[in-house]
Amino acid sequence: YRSTGISDQFTFEDLQFDLKYIPPDLMTLQESGMQVSKEDFSQIKENYLGLEYYVFRIEAPENVLNYQLQANETPQERLNYYAFQMQKDLQLIVGMDTLQCQLFHLEQNSGIAPYLTFSLGFETPKTQTDRKFYYTDPIFRTEQIELTIKQSAIDAAPSLAL
């Protein structure tokens, strides 16, 4: 189990679950590229306000879609869950608020890598305190995954000076 504040990691048997907070400036930079004016940067950044962004990764010793498949399961069923149903199993708890995942995208790697990566967005919380991320995993039937992102790490995240 490892935590850096802006990211957190949980290991269950030989599965690893990672969560990383992505600041709005980084989201903007990824979209706009390095050669952008201050005005354009500010305009693009406006699109990313209102949500907090995270990258969530599930890693196994081999392709997650094939790992420990049950006799009545197929890789396609797993892919369908991860692509279309998993979003309902994700929550962010901030203070007394329970936030549902508003933006969800599975980054498809065609089974080449032993992990799946998800881009997530949750409503920007009204309370500025540590975030508790919960994932209820029906595929591997692990215990409920809890990962923490520290408010102090979010506050200390670098911002771009243009």
Side-chain angles (χ1 to χ4, degrees), residues 21-140:
Y21 169 75
I22 308 297
D25 281 3
L26 181 55
M27 294 292 293
T28 305
L29 188 61
Q30 288 174 332
E31 179 181 333
S32 65
M34 298 297 286
Q35 304 298 321
V36 63
S37 70
K38 186 175 185 176
E39 295 77 30
D40 288 346
F41 185 87
S42 296
Q43 197 170 38
I44 293 168
K45 185 176 176 179
E46 285 292 317
N47 296 328
Y48 291 104
L49 301 179
L51 290 179
E52 282 190 350
Y53 298 92
Y54 298 86
V55 172
F56 181 55
R57 178 181 278 190
I58 301 172
E59 187 168 349
E62 62 183 69
N63 182 334
V64 174
L65 299 178
N66 295 320
Y67 185 66
Q68 294 182 345
L69 267 178
Q70 303 300 312
N72 61 346
E73 249 185 324
T74 68
Q76 187 61 45
E77 289 172 324
R78 280 194 181 176
L79 179 59
N80 286 342
Y81 166 76
Y82 286 125
F84 303 111
Q85 299 167 6
M86 181 180 167
Q87 182 175 1
K88 67 180 175 21
D89 295 327
L90 305 171
Q91 294 181 323
L92 193 67
I93 310 292
V94 185
M96 300 301 290
D97 295 329
T98 301
L99 307 173
Q100 300 302 316
C101 184
Q102 301 294 313
L103 179 102
F104 177 86
H105 174 73
L106 166 62
E107 297 176 14
Q108 185 57 274
N109 66 30
S110 301
I112 295 170
Y115 55 82
L116 295 175
T117 303
F118 306 89
S119 296
L120 311 175
F122 293 88
E123 180 182 333
T124 300
K126 296 171 185 67
T127 308
Q128 299 302 304
T129 188
D130 293 352
R131 281 83 165 136
K132 297 279 187 192
F133 172 85
Y134 290 95
Y135 170 49
T136 305
D137 175 25
I139 299 295
F140 297 107

